[in-house]
Amino acid sequence: MSPTAFRPSRHATRPIRVSFEFFPPKSEEMEKTLWSSIERLAPLNPSFVSVTYGAGGSTRERTHRTVERILAETALKPAAHLTCVAATREEVDEVVRSYGETGVRHIVALRGDPVAGIGTAYEAHPGGYSQTSDLVAGIKRAGDFEVSVSAYPEKHPEAPSLEADLDALQKKVDAGADRAITQFFFDNDVYLRYLDKVHARGIGIPIVPGILPVLNFRQARNFAERAGASVPDWLGARFEGLENDPETRKLIAAAVAAEQVFDLVDRGVRDFHFYTMNRADLVYAVCHLLGLRPQAGQGAERAAA
Ligand code: FAD
């Protein structure tokens, strides 16, 4: 990479905006890790921070608690993920209503994975929302929520074709989605080709790239396999031989993620959604390279209180 690639301001006409994704912690120790990550990242003034919803709605309470704590203890804007899986419409609507009461204004609406696991046939709950576009419409009916949805530059594994997948995105947009966040990808050309297809359909909502900094290559490859994301050979080559060398792996991980986001900045992208895996270091470093600096009063003080 040429050194000039590390100058994101070169083409930056609009400011860089970031958002961070976390998952609800399962144990006290994980809770500590999550909160130290939130405290570290909050001063970077993200547009929002999102909290995932476990498969089959398994983290309903924990997602709710985490989102509530973010609202109570930080100045961050939380976005709660919500799926259609294993719940009636009434149950899902009740979750939406209680989010509204708590002060949540942003929901990431998803279908969710089949209850029997990825790779099995999806069966909608008989009394539930049968597809994501219905959930989006339901949330919009329930109140003044901002709604984000997913997008799949390499198509969702269940979609018969990219065109069918784009039809699903179109339906979500028609139902009122305000933004889409992509599944992670490592080949920027794939994302930009996808954007061309989205724009050719007249879809105008932001399609924000989801960036997964790769700290553990083997784990990322497993995620990618389940998510239908391709892993280029060059990525594996960069981590080759570093299985027992976490220090170097971390440096390489930061370089790889920085290279990806700078290339996107060079190609006009300004918004980034980071899959943090509840860890701050790598994401903080990449955001720093993107030119973001801690801002007073943007959550750290309140988060630390
Ligand atoms: P949609 O966008 O509604 O559909 C994806 C594709 O699958 C479309 O092409 C659609 O036509 C096709 N499809 C849908 N249903 C069927 C069907 N029955 N038969 C054939 N094709 C079908 N999962 C969680 O459990 N919790 C989370 O918090 C979570 N957060 C996510 C955040 C992001 C940004 C992304 C990208 C994914 C997230 N997921 C999450 C994963 C997501 O739930 C799964 O990928 C799920 O399989 C699809 O949900 P969706 O809303 O993305 O699907």
Side-chain angles (χ1 to χ4, degrees):
M1 188 193 327
S2 81
T4 52
F6 281 93
R7 282 169 38 201
S9 57
R10 229 170 7 138
H11 299 290
T13 47
R14 284 180 288 123
I16 303 283
R17 288 183 306 194
V18 296
S19 50
F20 303 128
E21 184 168 310
F22 301 102
F23 60 86
K26 275 196 195 128
S27 63
E28 247 174 65
E29 201 183 328
M30 285 168 82
E31 174 121 13
K32 278 193 197 130
T33 307
L34 167 68
W35 279 89
S36 74
S37 300
I38 291 178
E39 284 172 25
R40 177 100 171 110
L41 293 170
L44 296 177
N45 193 20
S47 314
F48 63 90
V49 294
S50 79
V51 181
T52 61
Y53 202 69
S58 55
T59 67
R60 182 171 160 166
E61 304 304 329
R62 279 187 279 133
T63 300
H64 210 293
R65 268 205 307 279
T66 306
V67 167
E68 270 188 355
R69 188 169 166 195
I70 290 172
L71 268 177
E73 297 182 22
T74 77
L76 297 167
K77 291 192 198 97
H81 291 220
L82 182 61
T83 70
C84 311
V85 175
T88 63
R89 278 172 186 247
E90 290 71 27
E91 284 164 341
V92 173
D93 290 350
E94 174 55 26
V95 174
V96 174
R97 199 188 52 75
S98 73
Y99 274 133
E101 277 180 9
T102 320
V104 176
R105 289 281 155 264
H106 184 170
I107 292 182
V108 182
L110 302 140
R111 186 200 69 180
D113 286 318
V115 180
I118 293 176
T120 63
Y122 181 83
E123 279 177 39
H125 186 287
Y129 286 108
S130 61
Q131 49 186 345
T132 318
S133 51
D134 295 337
L135 173 62
V136 173
I139 296 169
K140 286 287 182 181
R141 267 196 310 274
D144 185 19
F145 290 100
E146 188 176 344
V147 177
S148 295
V149 293
S150 63
Y152 295 88
E154 298 182 79
K155 95 170 181 61
H156 185 274
E158 286 173 44
S161 66
L162 188 58
E163 287 308 315
D165 210 7
L166 285 162
D167 290 341
L169 177 65
Q170 178 85 63
K171 278 171 96 172
K172 295 188 284 189
V173 174
D174 292 345
D178 300 289
R179 164 196 304 96
I181 300 167
T182 75
Q183 184 58 276
F184 65 85
F185 56 88
F186 299 112
D187 180 346
N188 289 345
D189 287 343
V190 166
Y191 167 73
L192 291 156
R193 276 198 299 273
Y194 177 73
L195 275 193
D196 287 344
K197 291 201 161 74
V198 168
H199 294 154
R201 284 181 170 239
I203 295 175
I205 61 165
I207 310 288
V208 179
I211 305 293
L212 176 71
V214 176
L215 196 49
N216 179 332
F217 178 71
R218 209 172 292 171
Q219 187 189 50
R221 198 176 46 198
N222 288 344
F223 283 163
E225 206 169 296
R226 284 152 39 106
S230 57
V231 178
D233 290 343
W234 58 258
L235 187 62
R238 289 191 183 175
F239 288 95
E240 206 175 274
L242 297 178
E243 291 78 10
N244 301 316
D245 185 352
E247 284 302 310
T248 310
R249 241 181 18 229
K250 209 166 177 177
L251 295 170
I252 300 293
V256 166
E259 181 182 22
Q260 179 175 21
V261 295
F262 284 157
D263 180 56
L264 289 170
V265 168
D266 272 351
R267 297 159 90 171
V269 177
R270 296 289 175 272
D271 292 82
F272 297 93
H273 182 78
F274 286 96
Y275 294 107
T276 68
M277 309 302 290
N278 290 5
R279 304 269 166 185
D281 298 14
L282 256 183
V283 173
Y284 191 92
V286 175
C287 288
H288 183 92
L289 284 168
L290 278 170
L292 300 183
R293 296 293 179 268
Q295 292 180 27
Q298 289 303 332
E301 293 82 0
R302 288 181 62 191

